[in-house]
Amino acid sequence: MSSPKEEIAGSVNSEGETAPESRFTDLCKALKVSEEVISEATSLLNEIKSILLSSSFGGKGPEEMEIYCHAFVLYCAIKLKDDLSKEDDKQGRIKLSDILRATSLKLDDFFKEAQQFTIKGKQIMGDRYGFDWEDRLELKQLEKIVRMLNDARKFFDKTFGDFFSFGSIGQGSNTSEISKEIHRFGWLLFLTLRIDTPDLFKDLVSCVHGLVAVLAILILHVPVKFRNFSPQDTSRLVKRSEKGVDLLASLCNTYHTFEDCLRGMMEKAYKIISETLNQKPIPASDCRTDLMNYINTEGLMYFNNMLEEGLVGPGIQALEKHYMDVVGSKGEIDEMLFMQSEDKSSVGAPNLCDNKSKYETLASPTKTITNMLTLPLSPMSPARHNFIISNPKILQMTPVTTAMTTAKWLREVISPLPDRPSPHLEQFLSLPDNKILTNDLMRRAHIILEAIFHNGNSFDISWAKERKFEASKLYYRVLESICKSESNLLSSRSEKNNNGSGNNLAQLLSNERFHRCMLACSAELVLATHKTVLMMFPAVLESTGLTPFDLSKVIESFVRHEETLPRELKRHLNSLEEQLLESMVWAKGSSLYNSLLVAQPDLGPEIGRLGLLAEPMLSLDEIAAWHNIPVSGDLPVSNRKRDTSPDQEGTEAPSPKRACIESGSVLLERNCFTPPAKERLYSLKSKFHPLQSSFASPAQPNPVGGNETCAEIGCKVFFSKILKLGAIRIRSLCERLRQPQQILDRVYGLFQQIIDKQTHLFFNRHVDQIILCCFYGVAKVSRLNLTFKEIVSSYKKEPQCKPEVFRNVFVGSSNMRIGICHVDIITFYNEVFVPAVKPLLVGMVPSSSRSEEKASAEGGTVPGSPKVSPFSNLPDMSPKKVSASHNVYVSPLRQSKMDALLSPSSRSYYACIGESTHAFQSPSKDLDAINSRLNSTGRRLPTGRINFDMVSDSVVAGSLGYQNGSSASSDGVAAFGLPVKREQAETD
């Protein structure tokens, strides 16, 4: 008899729909979706559901995943349909918040699963809706908006409690209702201010200015008896004059806001209150009330009795109506839900925890690491947990305090600088051949920064202009500092070697990539300071035509040469470097592959097969034309010809992103290159190599001296960073798993050997995926009782953890898996990792174990193994019946699979079905699953006879009624304790 779930899954309603399809149709009808959109959504669901609902390691249950799938598909159909413009004009358009409310899903949970759906369904969605479907879907931007509003709400809650003594919001008290009303009024006033001037509220800094403006208005209108401060308190309101407390200046001093901007926000708020609440403002200086005692009222306005007891309700209703009238026809998220507590609204409770701070060891790029396994502990390391708790003086920076602190630095340190190169910098730009690069420098900065800050006219024009000036001034400042440092280094080296090369920086200052990387770093810091939701990394790379590998070359120097850079921005750049190193430099289209193609030719076939090479970099004129950027007449026009990179010579592959001529660049003559071994990496020590080594001709000798070329230096530095990052993460994960130093050394040693000998395993993948596999491989070799479940469970607690790391690992398509490019971590481990690193794992096996393996290969037996058949030369390929009352057969392992295992002992390197039939499932449930399959009589079995002339696992699986190569036959073998290679991870 079939199970209830099978009956539900297989049931068909009167309209011919299965239960899941019926539930999806009911959802659409409950939301009153048009028939046209329902048709589109149903068609998309039928095409993509098998991929989206495919089991993934560590995923949710099938019923829960179905709900997320339905919500995602419906949102995509509504957002991406061709005639959506007509739907957008309707007042009752279905928004994302409506869908999530109907499905009882939280925003942050939906965004997490949507990321996985985007990866899995990328091919189908692209074929159906075009290459730009992800940008049109705007899910990443929406997630950023939700996080920004969540941070803004937390800031408002805290400041509201600091100034008003209503008690904790939401707790029962005599003033609880008044507290809620005034708090709601303030948040609604901020939301209304935000939707009426959306261009000014697309970044966190603007939101904080708006909230502080609202706070100032509340201070002037909330009855004195509810105040939690006194105007005479000099510690709270520090700015004073003969006329009293300067309220706005005091708030600016406390929250690092800009007074002119704050006054502008208050003017907009006055206008909204006047028009929405039908109240006329009067000068605060004309108001005779105790609210204005000891306050300098010059320039402030007052609305009579606006927030008096009993009069707040009508104001709230008016603001809510105005908000809904405007937001009802646009926007995907109901921002009023952020006022509700987390236990009242699953949609309005984003529960968006801030990303844990990245490892701060990378925040000191000048620090020399002599032993990778004695690196400082990360802040989130379990070993430092007690230290952090016992030191309450450690300041916990919030997103708001970080943004406002760095914005103050930009305003006070960078903004006063000139918006052109200084006289000192111009001296460096005057080359020995009388060529002056100043105009070229300014033209490049103009085009690149225009492309970034006027991207699709997403930003307010005045806001974008201010940010562009900040970025250009920062660029000129850091560039001058780098020129001074490089010049001094080259001069000292020249005097030491008596070669007379002097401090010639012509090659570096003429390098197009170097300048674009510097501009990208400057722009990214400005965008990170304001925390805008419209330009998220790596958007600056797309606008500048760079690849992640290009940018990774200058981050360390940028941090090193700007002494005034706030600690928060240093952390941002170094967390950015982590993102680049862990996955982005290994992604398709990275210029790293163009360098490896020349430096390590043996990787060429794999690079070509996967199509990993970068495309040529657009020239400045092409970027200007693409973004419709006008170029002033006083700026020179560059050569529009697209040039191929010298790296291209001698190869048939397309060139990297190098449209611009790079002075003196020639083909790297050396054809043999090996990633640096341990002793070579550690030999870096404190030697600092000039920055122009990273951008110079590959075959050029190192400017510092020695026999190494610039290419060798650049690759050595890159791989040393990868090893450093890997060492930090391996150590942290080892601590969580409570493994001894011996295991730490083994895991790191294996990781290091993979970088040296199996570099291709990193292609198109995440560094953490290799680390997780290293842990499991070492555990199998060391015979530890450590499962993938335990490894991944511990990894989930790491600050950099992302579900896609263990759910979606790139493997590419194959004969076994047509059209599927990503699998879970266990499948990747079995099918790709073990075959590649098996010789390395064998080398880690103790000599005694290898002796047993050798004896077994020569005809002996491993202790505990089954007795060898006397007819071993006659392979028995007949399937064995394993049940007296059921037609259940188990076929022997095919020879091709046996050959892949190499030896009896090497079977232990694989993740086997016997470990678990489902991820994170107990052994008792495994046995129940196996028994239910053997004892089930409800499934109809095929009546046709099986052809045993050529037996395979797929034939046996088909005879059991399993589809698409599910692991039924493997389960049967697992029931009898035989070690079987796990072909496909069957997980929840």
Side-chain angles (χ1 to χ4, degrees):
M1 187 173 182
S2 59
S3 65
K5 287 185 179 179
E6 290 176 342
E7 292 178 357
I8 294 175
S11 62
V12 179
N13 63 12
S14 58
E15 298 179 1
E17 296 177 325
T18 61
E21 293 175 348
S22 177
R23 287 192 288 270
F24 181 70
T25 302
D26 292 341
L27 172 63
C28 294
K29 292 181 178 179
L31 289 169
K32 299 181 179 179
V33 179
S34 65
E35 290 296 331
E36 191 174 6
V37 174
I38 291 179
S39 176
E40 172 69 18
T42 303
S43 174
L44 174 60
L45 179 66
N46 291 333
E47 183 178 4
I48 204 173
K49 64 181 179 182
S50 60
I51 294 179
L52 299 188
L53 295 177
S54 60
S55 60
S56 58
F57 191 81
K60 295 179 171 61
E63 295 85 359
E64 194 173 2
M65 287 303 299
E66 179 188 295
I67 298 175
Y68 283 101
C69 176
H70 289 175
F72 177 78
V73 168
L74 181 56
Y75 175 71
C76 290
I78 294 174
K79 192 75 175 178
L80 301 177
K81 189 167 172 56
D82 292 337
D83 59 348
L84 183 60
S85 57
K86 300 178 182 178
E87 193 78 14
D88 274 338
D89 295 334
K90 298 180 181 180
Q91 185 73 14
R93 185 179 64 86
I94 306 301
K95 299 181 293 185
L96 177 60
S97 56
D98 298 326
I99 297 174
L100 299 186
R101 187 183 293 108
T103 52
S104 301
L105 298 178
K106 287 181 177 289
L107 280 167
D108 59 335
D109 292 338
F110 173 78
F111 287 135
K112 289 177 183 178
E113 294 303 326
Q115 290 178 4
Q116 310 309 312
F117 292 157
T118 299
I119 296 173
K120 291 181 177 181
K122 192 168 188 176
Q123 184 65 44
I124 293 177
M125 297 293 289
D127 294 341
R128 192 178 182 104
Y129 296 110
F131 70 95
D132 61 340
W133 70 274
E134 285 188 73
D135 294 333
R136 291 160 52 203
L137 203 60
E138 297 180 333
L139 274 178
K140 292 181 180 179
Q141 188 180 122
L142 283 175
E143 184 176 6
K144 268 285 191 179
I145 291 175
V146 169
R147 290 187 179 277
M148 182 185 71
L149 290 175
N150 194 53
D151 294 334
R153 186 202 64 183
K154 291 178 180 178
F155 171 76
F156 181 65
D157 291 347
K158 183 181 183 304
T159 54
F160 188 84
D162 288 342
F163 280 90
F164 306 108
S165 57
F166 294 103
S168 299
I169 297 174
Q171 293 183 357
S173 66
N174 294 333
T175 59
S176 176
E177 292 302 319
I178 301 174
S179 167
K180 289 180 180 179
E181 285 186 345
I182 297 180
H183 182 273
R184 186 176 184 85
F185 179 92
W187 182 256
L188 279 171
L189 180 58
F190 163 72
L191 292 183
T192 307
L193 183 64
R194 181 175 181 272
I195 62 173
D196 281 6
T197 54
D199 292 337
L200 298 178
F201 287 88
K202 292 179 179 178
D203 65 286
L204 186 58
V205 173
S206 296
C207 287
V208 172
H209 277 84
L211 287 169
V212 174
V214 169
L215 180 64
I217 292 175
L218 294 181
I219 289 175
L220 295 175
H221 290 82
V222 173
V224 174
K225 63 181 180 179
F226 296 130
R227 283 180 177 176
N228 197 25
F229 71 98
S230 169
Q232 296 173 295
D233 184 2
T234 56
S235 62
R236 182 75 64 88
L237 303 173
V238 298
K239 299 295 184 179
R240 298 171 178 273
S241 66
E242 296 179 354
K243 297 181 180 180
V245 174
D246 190 335
L247 180 61
L248 297 189
S250 296
L251 293 176
C252 288
N253 179 75
T254 302
Y255 300 110
H256 302 310
T257 50
F258 186 41
E259 188 169 347
D260 290 345
C261 182
L262 190 59
R263 290 188 181 275
M265 291 288 184
M266 292 189 70
E267 291 295 331
K268 295 178 183 296
Y270 291 151
K271 183 179 179 181
I272 290 174
I273 295 174
S274 178
E275 294 177 352
T276 305
L277 275 63
N278 294 322
Q279 289 196 26
K280 292 184 179 180
I282 60 175
S285 57
D286 297 341
C287 178
R288 298 294 181 262
T289 174
D290 56 354
L291 288 169
M292 305 301 167
N293 291 344
Y294 306 106
I295 295 178
N296 182 1
T297 57
E298 184 178 352
L300 302 177
M301 306 299 292
Y302 178 75
F303 295 88
N304 193 31
N305 298 326
M306 183 176 67
L307 296 181
E308 293 294 331
E309 294 185 59
L311 301 178
V312 184
I316 293 177
Q317 294 175 3
L319 290 174
E320 284 181 344
K321 183 178 183 304
H322 177 77
Y323 175 84
M324 295 306 299
D325 289 343
V326 176
V327 176
S329 58
K330 61 182 180 181
E332 294 294 339
I333 299 193
D334 186 356
E335 297 167 1
M336 286 197 298
L337 293 171
F338 283 86
M339 293 181 291
Q340 302 178 14
S341 61
E342 295 190 2
D343 58 344
K344 290 185 179 180
S345 172
S346 60
V347 181
N351 195 25
L352 290 170
C353 299
D354 300 327
N355 287 334
K356 301 172 184 175
S357 59
K358 297 290 185 180
Y359 297 130
E360 293 184 22
T361 50
L362 288 179
S364 301
T366 59
K367 183 180 294 184
T368 301
I369 303 299
T370 58
N371 187 343
M372 292 292 184
L373 299 182
T374 58
L375 291 168
L377 292 174
S378 72
M380 303 310 298
S381 171
R384 291 192 60 184
H385 180 67
N386 294 333
F387 170 78
I388 294 175
I389 293 178
S390 62
N391 286 271
K393 293 183 179 180
I394 296 178
L395 178 62
Q396 297 295 326
M397 297 294 289
T398 67
V400 170
T401 55
T402 297
M404 302 312 295
T405 301
T406 53
K408 182 180 180 182
W409 171 77
L410 276 179
R411 186 170 62 249
E412 296 181 354
V413 177
I414 303 301
S415 293
L417 298 175
D419 59 351
R420 60 172 292 115
S422 68
H424 197 178
L425 179 57
E426 288 189 7
Q427 292 179 7
F428 288 109
L429 296 173
S430 300
L431 304 184
D433 58 358
N434 296 324
K435 182 179 180 180
I436 300 177
L437 300 177
T438 303
N439 287 339
D440 291 341
L441 197 75
M442 296 179 65
R443 179 181 185 274
R444 182 187 299 108
H446 168 72
I447 293 176
I448 295 299
L449 295 179
E450 280 286 329
I452 293 174
F453 290 105
H454 291 277
N455 187 9
N457 297 321
S458 300
F459 299 116
D460 174 71
I461 295 177
S462 60
W463 185 92
K465 186 176 181 180
E466 292 177 6
R467 304 293 82 78
K468 176 188 170 184
F469 278 130
E470 290 172 346
S472 63
K473 293 174 182 179
L474 178 59
Y475 161 64
Y476 295 139
R477 177 185 175 96
V478 180
L479 179 61
E480 180 178 342
S481 177
I482 288 178
C483 287
K484 292 178 183 178
S485 176
E486 293 286 305
S487 177
N488 293 335
L489 183 60
L490 291 178
S491 295
S492 61
R493 183 62 60 177
S494 175
E495 293 175 0
K496 181 178 180 181
N497 297 334
N498 296 318
N499 56 17
S501 62
N503 59 350
N504 185 6
L505 299 177
Q507 185 174 5
L508 179 65
L509 294 176
S510 300
N511 191 287
E512 181 70 22
R513 276 187 298 143
F514 165 69
H515 288 291
R516 292 199 193 185
C517 289
M518 292 291 295
L519 288 165
C521 275
S522 301
E524 175 61 28
L525 286 180
V526 172
L527 291 170
T529 291
H530 291 269
K531 296 190 182 296
T532 176
V533 299
L534 295 179
M535 284 288 288
M536 297 167 286
F537 189 79
V540 293
L541 296 181
E542 299 168 0
S543 299
T544 55
L546 298 170
T547 74
F549 184 62
D550 297 328
L551 190 63
S552 68
K553 298 178 182 180
V554 302
I555 289 180
E556 179 178 331
S557 294
F558 203 101
V559 174
R560 189 193 304 272
H561 290 96
E562 180 45 59
E563 296 179 353
T564 67
L565 197 66
R567 180 178 58 182
E568 293 77 13
L569 290 182
K570 289 181 180 179
R571 287 176 174 171
H572 174 75
L573 279 182
N574 288 289
S575 67
L576 215 64
E577 188 176 32
E578 279 197 61
Q579 294 179 46
L580 296 173
L581 295 176
E582 69 184 11
S583 61
M584 295 183 68
V585 295
W586 303 105
K588 180 179 180 180
S590 172
S591 57
L592 168 66
Y593 296 111
N594 300 76
S595 299
L596 287 177
L597 188 66
V598 178
Q600 197 170 353
D602 58 312
L603 293 175
E606 182 70 6
I607 293 174
R609 183 182 71 84
L610 297 175
L612 300 175
L613 291 174
E615 295 296 329
M617 183 170 70
L618 294 177
S619 68
L620 287 176
D621 293 311
E622 288 174 321
I623 293 177
W626 178 263
H627 293 280
N628 297 320
I629 300 173
V631 180
S632 57
D634 59 334
L635 295 178
V637 178
S638 66
N639 186 1
R640 293 178 179 272
K641 181 180 178 180
R642 181 184 292 226
D643 299 292
T644 57
S645 168
D647 295 349
Q648 173 73 9
E649 299 178 18
T651 66
E652 298 180 357
S655 66
K657 294 188 176 182
R658 311 283 190 273
C660 305
I661 299 176
E662 299 176 3
S663 302
S665 184
V666 296
L667 175 65
L668 177 62
E669 297 175 355
R670 298 184 58 181
N671 294 323
C672 181
F673 172 79
T674 302
K678 181 175 181 179
E679 59 274 8
R680 296 185 64 201
L681 286 168
Y682 295 166
S683 67
L684 284 174
K685 295 187 177 180
S686 60
K687 183 187 295 184
F688 171 63
H689 302 278
L691 181 61
Q692 62 181 355
S693 300
S694 301
F695 292 95
S697 168
Q700 178 178 327
N702 179 19
V704 178
N707 298 324
E708 295 174 309
T709 64
C710 292
E712 289 177 302
I713 292 296
C715 290
K716 180 184 293 186
V717 171
F718 170 73
F719 281 109
S720 68
K721 289 180 179 179
I722 295 294
L723 275 178
K724 179 182 176 182
L725 179 65
I728 294 171
R729 296 187 173 181
I730 288 170
R731 182 181 180 185
S732 178
L733 187 55
C734 205
E735 289 172 354
R736 294 191 187 279
L737 291 168
R738 301 183 183 278
Q739 295 299 318
Q741 182 69 28
Q742 181 184 8
I743 300 302
L744 171 64
D745 294 339
R746 284 190 171 190
V747 174
Y748 177 73
L750 179 59
F751 180 79
Q752 190 179 38
Q753 289 186 72
I754 292 173
I755 290 180
D756 188 9
K757 301 176 182 178
Q758 299 291 342
T759 313
H760 66 91
L761 284 178
F762 289 87
F763 293 177
N764 246 346
R765 298 189 180 102
H766 196 290
V767 166
D768 288 356
Q769 292 167 346
I770 307 301
I771 291 176
L772 293 176
C773 290
C774 285
F775 264 97
Y776 190 73
V778 168
K780 298 292 280 187
V781 169
S782 305
R783 299 183 179 181
L784 298 178
N785 186 21
L786 185 64
T787 65
F788 249 123
K789 169 187 174 181
E790 294 171 323
I791 295 173
V792 172
S793 296
S794 295
Y795 175 72
K796 286 182 176 181
K797 301 174 184 177
E798 292 293 302
Q800 80 280 0
C801 174
K802 296 179 181 178
E804 56 264 28
V805 170
F806 49 85
R807 289 193 194 178
N808 296 286
V809 189
F810 175 81
V811 292
S813 58
S814 63
N815 294 333
M816 296 173 54
R817 195 174 281 106
I818 299 176
I820 299 178
C821 296
H822 293 82
V823 297
D824 60 69
I825 189 71
I826 295 180
T827 306
F828 163 73
Y829 174 86
N830 281 336
E831 297 186 1
V832 179
F833 185 83
V834 171
V837 304
K838 190 178 296 179
L840 305 179
L841 292 173
V842 170
M844 300 176 70
V845 176
S847 57
S848 59
S849 298
R850 286 201 296 270
S851 298
E852 292 178 358
E853 178 181 336
K854 181 178 180 181
S856 174
E858 294 175 352
T861 60
V862 177
S865 62
K867 186 177 181 180
V868 180
S869 170
F871 306 102
S872 57
N873 293 331
L874 300 174
D876 183 9
M877 297 302 294
S878 302
K880 306 298 182 183
K881 190 171 184 179
V882 296
S883 176
S885 58
H886 298 85
N887 291 326
V888 179
Y889 294 84
V890 175
S891 64
L893 196 64
R894 293 197 300 271
Q895 185 64 38
S896 60
K897 294 184 180 180
M898 295 178 67
D899 293 340
L901 296 179
L902 290 180
S903 62
S905 65
S906 65
R907 298 179 187 180
S908 63
Y909 302 152
Y910 290 88
C912 296
I913 288 289
E915 180 178 309
S916 179
T917 58
H918 288 71
F920 307 130
Q921 181 167 284
S922 64
S924 61
K925 291 186 178 180
D926 286 335
L927 294 176
D928 290 341
I930 295 172
N931 288 333
S932 65
R933 293 179 180 181
L934 292 175
N935 297 328
S936 175
T937 58
R939 182 180 287 107
R940 175 176 294 180
L941 299 177
T943 56
R945 297 182 62 184
I946 303 176
N947 180 10
F948 292 117
D949 293 338
M950 192 168 185
V951 179
S952 66
D953 290 354
S954 59
V955 173
V956 177
S959 70
L960 295 174
Y962 291 90
Q963 303 297 327
N964 300 326
S966 61
S967 55
S969 59
S970 298
D971 286 346
V973 178
F976 293 89
L978 299 179
V980 180
K981 175 183 173 184
R982 181 172 182 174
E983 292 186 350
Q984 182 176 353
E986 186 182 358
T987 57
D988 289 336

